[in-house]
Amino acid sequence: MQRLYDFLRRHPTGVDTFWAVVLFGFSLLWVASKPTGAEGAPAVYAVVAALLSLVVALRRRMPEKMLVLTVLLGLAQLAFGLVPFMADFAMLVIIYTVAAHDGPRWASRLALAGGLSAATLSQLRWPLEDGAESSAAKIFFTVIMTVPFALAWVLGDSLRTRRAYFAQLEERASRLEKEREAQAKVAVAAERARIARELHDVVAHNVSVMVVQADGAAYVMDSSPETAKQALETISSTGRQALAEMRRLLGILRTGEHQEAGEYVPQPDVQQIEDLVEQVRGAGLAVDFKVEGTPRPLPSGVELTAYRIVQEALTNSRKHGGPDVGASVRLVYFDDGLGLLVEDDGRGAPQEMYEDGGADGRGHGLIGMRERVGMVGGTLDAGPRPGGGFRISALLPLKPAH
């Protein structure tokens, strides 16, 4: 049964043609037994029946044209006195079809006007027989004959409205699905950028520490084995820390990584800046560290941003500051923000590094800082300081920690 139903849905014109043949057959039976006194020759009725059957057959392929043909046939019946007969059922069918079709509104209005006036025009052209010609009887008969036409239009228009409603729902669902896909792509891109920044910070800082310590150990290996041993221990601990942070970052990219990655470290925060400074001091960079104001809980994003800025700034000081460079780190808690100031007295980074936004051809340290600060709604200023060296200052807004 379902196959038959699907077949009929795939061939609507064939179904309409079948009912058109049925209507034409019943119309011919009426013509063959035409009531006495009906005007017009049987052949004329047969032609009208054939055309109205054609209307039923093609109602879905060309509804507006079939409606115009039906109107012309109805006017011809009135003009030539062809009494209503079986084939006029096609008028109900085309009124319903045009009202249900999502076509021009003039066609639906014409169908409604024709349906509402058909019974009245028919009553004026062929009044009731003698004995039933009272005004009340005529009005009642006209209303009764108008109801089917009105119902046909109302049913068709309701179907059209329902189809439009479901089409709107489908379009909205499709649009929401596309928006979700777009948002997912944006989220993936943002997460990739964040992971890239994190990896840059981890690799740039820890590897530079390891290189400095390795060079120092090679230099004093023969003259001071104890110092070389301490340098190797620093390299070992720094390498473990770098591996732990890289496992944490790469674990974001894999499902179930928490069961396989092994050792993890907490996400860096402001409290770990002091440990970072001690690590840098151990690598040979003299750093003066101060905290001003009253420490308070910060949003995790602000905490991570502050840590990474200090880490990147000290890494740049070690890379670009030259020999005997010294640095200072200041954390200042304001009422509405956290201030960061990192300075060094070295020779500073190349001019193009800060003029081009932080891209020195070998890395994107300052670019990453600006992106991080922008994500939390803060401001960043980086450039040479008076008297030599480099300075990085940032202001991060404080929000209540959730």
Side-chain angles (χ1 to χ4, degrees), residues 12 41-42 69 99 117 131 140 162 175 192 196 223 248 250 267 325 386:
L69 177 60
S117 60
F140 177 76
R162 185 179 180 85
R175 186 173 65 252
R192 287 177 177 174
S223 60
R248 175 177 63 81
L250 295 177
Q267 184 163 278
V325 62

Side-chain angles (χ1 to χ4, degrees), residues 6 19 31 109 116 154-155 165-166 171 174-175 189 191 239 274 307 319 332 337 362 369 379:
D6 293 338
W19 290 115
V31 171
R109 296 189 184 100
L116 295 179
V154 169
L155 289 175
Y165 173 72
F166 281 115
E171 190 273 336
S174 176
R175 186 173 65 252
E191 185 66 10
E274 186 172 1
Y307 181 90
K319 289 168 58 178
V332 183
R362 291 165 294 179
M369 287 189 199
T379 58

Side-chain angles (χ1 to χ4, degrees), residues 198-208 242 246:
E198 291 286 306
L199 287 174
H200 170 271
D201 294 338
V202 170
V203 172
H205 172 74
N206 291 291
V207 172
S208 63
M246 291 183 68

Side-chain angles (χ1 to χ4, degrees), residues 268-276 295-296 303 307 331 333:
D269 56 22
V270 173
Q271 301 300 322
Q272 296 184 31
I273 292 180
E274 186 172 1
D275 298 334
L276 173 66
R296 69 198 71 177
E303 298 245 0
Y307 181 90
L331 298 183
Y333 286 87

